[in-house]
Amino acid sequence: MKTLAHSNAALAARDLAHNWHPCTQMREHDGALPLIPIASGDGAWLIDAEGNRYFDGISSWWSNLFGHANPRIAAAVAEQAATLNHVMFAGFTHEPGLRLSEELVRITPPGLERVFYASDGASAVEIALKMSFHYWHNSGQPQRTHFIALSNAYHGETLGALSVSDLPLYRAVYGPLLLEPIVAPSPDWLDAEAGETADDVARRRLGDMRTLLERHAHETCAVIIEPLVQCSGGMRMHSPLYLAGLRALCDEFDLHLIADEIAVGFGRTGTLFACEQAAITPDFMCLSKGLTGGALPMSAVLTTANVYAAFLGDYAANNAFLHSHTFGGNPIACAAALASLAIFAEQPVLQRNLELAAHLAKRLEPLRAHPHVANLRQTGMIAALDLVADKATRMPWPGAERRGLRFYRHALAHAMLLRPLGDTVYFLPPYCIDESDIDRMVAVALAAIDVATDWRVQ
Ligand SMILES: *Cc1c(COP(=O)(O)O)cnc(C)c1O
């Protein structure tokens, strides 16, 4: 038994005296939103201070791959921490850092040959944007100062990353501080017109992109995209055909393609990287979240030999990329990433995920008939559905009714962590699960959907 001082309530109260939590209206911790002190992790499970267990159906914000407190990653971290914690990555290197770059170059699409490290996803996006701009500057085209982003995109919260994001909830208030991107319509297949397939939507949106490029390519550095799934934007999915077509357009109009695989990388969409499904190589690929198996903060930007070459020259020419983050290339994070990649190398992870994804699809299929479920969709190990007030018209619930929050609370009370994006319920489990975990996850979700969409509750 835990003493009262270590009860969930006591720890939450101490926390709330000082901590300011991310992406939270802190006032809601007065009652509407629970704050759960987690004491430990065990595979797909999180265990709170009172010993209650929660199945992590969203991989702790899409980062965890092989379970919490994964023994192999933990051992690699411990060993590295006892050997070399950190050394600056300018003027110094270390074996975990050079080995990780060798591995990343080997497993990412052909042509990505250079790796630049940072500590979180948003900084990787900042780096890709700055590198692209700086490449054009060094190449005698300083008039290229714009970026093209997609509607409904999300690339992080720092000012540059937020600039190329299109979610008003996060962006609107900071508008006066931000760069103005050129926004192209997302190829999201939920926007299909009558009779259109996902591929048709992709082709139509490529036409829109061509029109924008005809007008703006000469002043544009890059197009940035979340390949296959716009995760924060409500798990909206598009056809690989769009990616292939976008690569071709970027070649034709001579500008960069930035693939933000921060959420979709490392197997989420069924292939190790989403870009593989269109057989493309972007000019920049941003990685984070699953890079260390979800154990430590780390991100990387991979780019081509061509981009790299534009930054070489005399020191006096001042064309080097003088960007840095203190902890970029941290050896402990590198060791965690190497341990996670070793699991991919030694176990049939992607093959097993295909089976798990097929099982998830089978279990979710009956939900299509639910009177308040619309837009069931799945790409690999990411599945989502929207809670709607009226199925025929796909009419959403009034936002103030917080149906998604009700879903969240009901699921949590039944040992299941599923945290909707607004009224979009999604499943993004770690890979260390089995079919019975999926059965339980979907069963709890169905019960929570029934509770959250009960008309009698306003
Ligand atoms: C989470 C995310 C980011 C930002 O990463 P942080 O580590 O939270 O800064 C950027 N792009 C995508 C696609 C993401 O999902």
Side-chain angles (χ1 to χ4, degrees):
M1 270 301 285
K2 297 280 177 188
T3 60
L4 199 57
H6 294 92
S7 69
N8 282 353
L11 291 170
R14 273 172 62 196
D15 178 286
L16 289 171
H18 299 293
N19 280 337
W20 190 342
H21 290 270
C23 205
T24 300
Q25 170 47 265
M26 291 299 291
R27 177 68 81 68
E28 294 206 314
H29 281 312
D30 288 352
L33 191 65
L35 178 68
I36 302 171
I38 294 299
S40 61
D42 175 18
W45 294 86
L46 295 163
I47 302 151
D48 75 16
E50 295 176 359
N52 304 305
R53 295 164 70 86
Y54 308 86
F55 183 85
D56 188 352
I58 59 164
S59 301
S60 281
W61 268 345
W62 328 335
S63 59
N64 195 285
L65 305 185
F66 301 116
H68 294 281
N70 178 282
R72 179 149 187 185
I73 297 174
V77 165
E79 193 186 329
Q80 187 57 47
T83 311
L84 174 69
N85 271 308
H86 186 63
V87 60
M88 56 201 267
F89 214 47
F92 295 88
T93 191
H94 42 74
E95 225 177 291
L98 63 91
R99 279 182 48 218
L100 180 59
S101 297
E102 287 169 353
E103 276 300 291
L104 290 174
V105 166
R106 191 177 65 76
I107 63 177
T108 50
L112 294 172
E113 293 180 8
R114 286 283 156 187
V115 187
F116 195 101
Y117 290 109
S119 326
D120 54 49
S123 348
V125 171
E126 300 286 339
I127 288 163
L129 297 175
K130 283 179 67 180
M131 268 186 187
S132 175
F133 166 80
H134 201 159
Y135 169 93
W136 293 113
H137 177 94
N138 287 353
S139 308
Q141 297 196 47
Q143 83 287 357
R144 296 211 195 212
T145 55
H146 293 281
F147 293 92
I148 296 179
L150 297 185
S151 60
N152 194 47
Y154 178 85
H155 297 289
E157 302 289 351
T158 55
L159 295 179
L162 195 57
S163 291
V164 289
S165 300
D166 182 47
L167 301 181
L169 179 65
Y170 306 131
R171 189 186 199 279
V173 68
Y174 305 104
L177 302 181
L178 302 179
L179 304 171
E180 270 309 317
I182 298 159
V183 180
S186 161
D188 175 4
W189 60 253
L190 289 183
D191 293 338
E193 288 164 5
E196 266 189 333
T197 64
D199 283 351
D200 294 335
V201 179
R203 276 186 283 265
R204 178 157 57 84
R205 294 314 194 190
L206 286 168
D208 296 332
M209 182 62 84
R210 172 179 288 282
T211 305
L212 275 182
L213 289 173
E214 280 164 356
R215 181 140 29 109
H216 295 293
H218 68 282
E219 56 178 7
T220 301
C221 301
V223 179
I224 182 166
I225 184 171
E226 296 156 88
L228 298 189
V229 188
Q230 293 185 315
C231 290
S232 295
M235 302 295 162
R236 310 293 285 249
M237 301 172 182
H238 58 259
S239 160
L241 193 144
Y242 185 83
L243 279 184
L246 183 61
R247 174 71 273 181
L249 283 173
C250 289
D251 288 340
E252 181 184 336
F253 286 89
D254 192 26
L255 74 171
H256 291 142
L257 176 61
I258 302 173
D260 176 354
E261 294 228 14
I262 289 167
V264 296
F266 301 102
R268 292 288 175 197
T269 66
T271 43
L272 192 54
F273 298 102
C275 283
E276 292 171 33
Q277 294 188 39
I280 61 158
T281 299
D283 299 282
F284 300 92
M285 180 182 271
C286 302
L287 300 173
S288 187
K289 293 201 166 98
L291 173 56
T292 59
L296 285 170
M298 175 178 230
S299 64
V301 179
L302 282 90
T303 189
T304 61
N306 177 48
V307 167
Y308 178 71
F311 292 80
L312 300 177
D314 285 341
Y315 185 81
N318 199 22
N319 60 0
F321 192 59
L322 300 181
H323 180 112
S324 64
H325 296 284
T326 306
F327 288 107
N330 173 265
I332 304 175
C334 290
L338 283 165
S340 179
L341 291 179
I343 298 174
F344 275 107
E346 291 164 21
Q347 296 173 19
V349 176
L350 297 176
Q351 205 179 316
R352 174 70 183 135
N353 281 359
L354 282 182
E355 296 166 10
L356 292 169
H359 189 78
L360 180 59
K362 194 170 76 185
R363 282 291 173 269
L364 287 175
E365 191 56 33
L367 269 66
R368 271 189 210 284
H370 193 283
H372 295 295
V373 168
N375 305 331
L376 183 62
R377 54 200 182 270
Q378 184 172 353
T379 300
M381 291 288 275
I382 307 174
L385 56 89
D386 301 327
L387 303 181
V388 290
D390 183 75
K391 194 182 180 78
T393 59
R394 293 196 270 177
M395 185 178 72
W397 296 92
E401 292 187 10
R402 308 295 299 280
R403 300 281 170 169
L405 179 60
R406 286 172 212 212
F407 172 96
Y408 173 71
R409 286 182 0 206
H410 184 90
L412 260 189
H414 293 81
M416 186 63 60
L417 166 51
L418 291 170
R419 189 179 193 268
L421 294 152
D423 287 349
T424 296
V425 170
Y426 69 92
F427 306 87
L428 201 154
Y431 307 158
C432 58
I433 59 171
D434 63 22
E435 280 76 359
S436 69
D437 292 318
I438 290 174
D439 295 348
R440 188 170 354 87
M441 185 168 71
V442 174
V444 173
L446 178 57
I449 289 170
D450 283 337
V451 169
T453 59
D454 187 337
W455 270 113
R456 288 164 301 182
V457 192
Q458 292 272 311

